[in-house]
Amino acid sequence: APHPKRERAWIAPGDVYVDVIPTGAEGAETPVLIWPQSGFEMNLAGLRLAFDEAVTIEPAPGLTVQVAPLEVLALLKMVAYLDRPPERDRDLADIAHIFDDYAIDMDDLRYGEEILDLGLSHDEVSPFLLGRRLTEIVKKPERDAVISFISLVNDVRDATATQARMLVGAPLSWRRDPEELMLRIGAFERGFGAAPLNAG
């Protein structure tokens, strides 16, 4: 059923809130969506990647669905945060966890010769690979969004306190240490500015 106050939200069985965006693969190149009731402009940067990069999973026998891969989800959460920073603490927490978990099953990349040659610490590898993957698939609006997000996290004078709020929802191992966040955002930024792996 539609949410009584939030235009984009629906309430699924079990009181699960689901945001429904009225666009498809053809409309995903549109830069903004203007919601008819509120007039709110929603940045659609990155939405095309949810379709272009979708992977098929089988959550139950005989049931297959397409979902956005983790790197696209991270990008969409960055874009959502930039749209409404005061309301998006959950997105910051999710991005922090993705920084740590992105490459958890990528041993061939984590321990590949190219990564080892870069001299990254264990905690830097996952955000670096996330940034590297995103730089391979983004276009200009998405690249601009990622750069804006990095700038906010790096800005200690940011009025929305992005850095401090991201630490609140970060993994327990580095929740209270801004240096741990800056280590990861630095590695992510380095990966985002890097050439694709195995580039000639």
Side-chain angles (χ1 to χ4, degrees), residues 3-177:
H3 190 285
K5 295 181 180 178
R6 291 170 50 193
E7 190 174 6
R8 66 187 179 276
W10 288 65
I11 306 172
D15 287 335
V16 175
Y17 289 77
V18 179
D19 284 349
V20 178
I21 302 170
T23 190
E26 298 79 19
E29 296 283 351
T30 305
V32 295
L33 169 68
I34 301 174
W35 290 91
Q37 293 175 10
S38 64
F40 173 70
E41 293 188 12
M42 180 179 181
N43 186 345
L44 296 183
L47 188 61
R48 69 166 185 92
L49 292 170
F51 298 100
D52 293 351
E53 302 291 326
V55 294
T56 302
I57 63 168
E58 188 174 2
L63 173 65
T64 58
V65 293
Q66 288 195 307
V67 298
L70 201 52
E71 62 269 15
V72 174
L73 186 60
L75 171 64
L76 292 172
K77 286 181 171 292
M78 291 176 193
V79 172
Y81 179 77
L82 293 170
D83 262 358
R84 290 189 171 183
E87 301 174 18
R88 309 303 299 205
D89 284 8
R90 179 55 192 261
D91 289 320
L92 287 177
D94 289 344
I95 294 165
H97 285 271
I98 293 171
F99 276 176
D100 266 14
D101 296 338
Y102 176 70
I104 200 165
D105 295 321
M106 299 181 181
D107 284 356
D108 56 330
L109 288 179
R110 286 182 69 89
Y111 303 109
E113 189 173 319
E114 289 180 86
I115 293 299
L116 294 175
D117 287 347
L118 291 171
L120 299 171
S121 72
H122 174 79
D123 293 331
E124 292 175 298
V125 174
S126 187
F128 177 86
L129 288 173
L130 174 63
R132 169 86 45 106
R133 176 61 184 141
L134 281 175
T135 206
E136 295 172 347
I137 61 175
V138 295
K139 292 183 179 177
K140 186 179 186 316
E142 299 140 358
R143 175 172 294 281
D144 291 347
V146 172
I147 291 169
S148 293
F149 180 80
I150 291 169
S151 295
L152 274 181
V153 178
N154 280 325
D155 185 1
V156 294
R157 295 169 305 205
D158 164 34
T160 58
T162 300
Q163 188 180 120
R165 289 167 54 222
M166 193 168 181
L167 279 169
V168 169
L172 282 172
S173 61
W174 52 281
R175 181 171 292 176
R176 287 176 288 276
D177 189 348

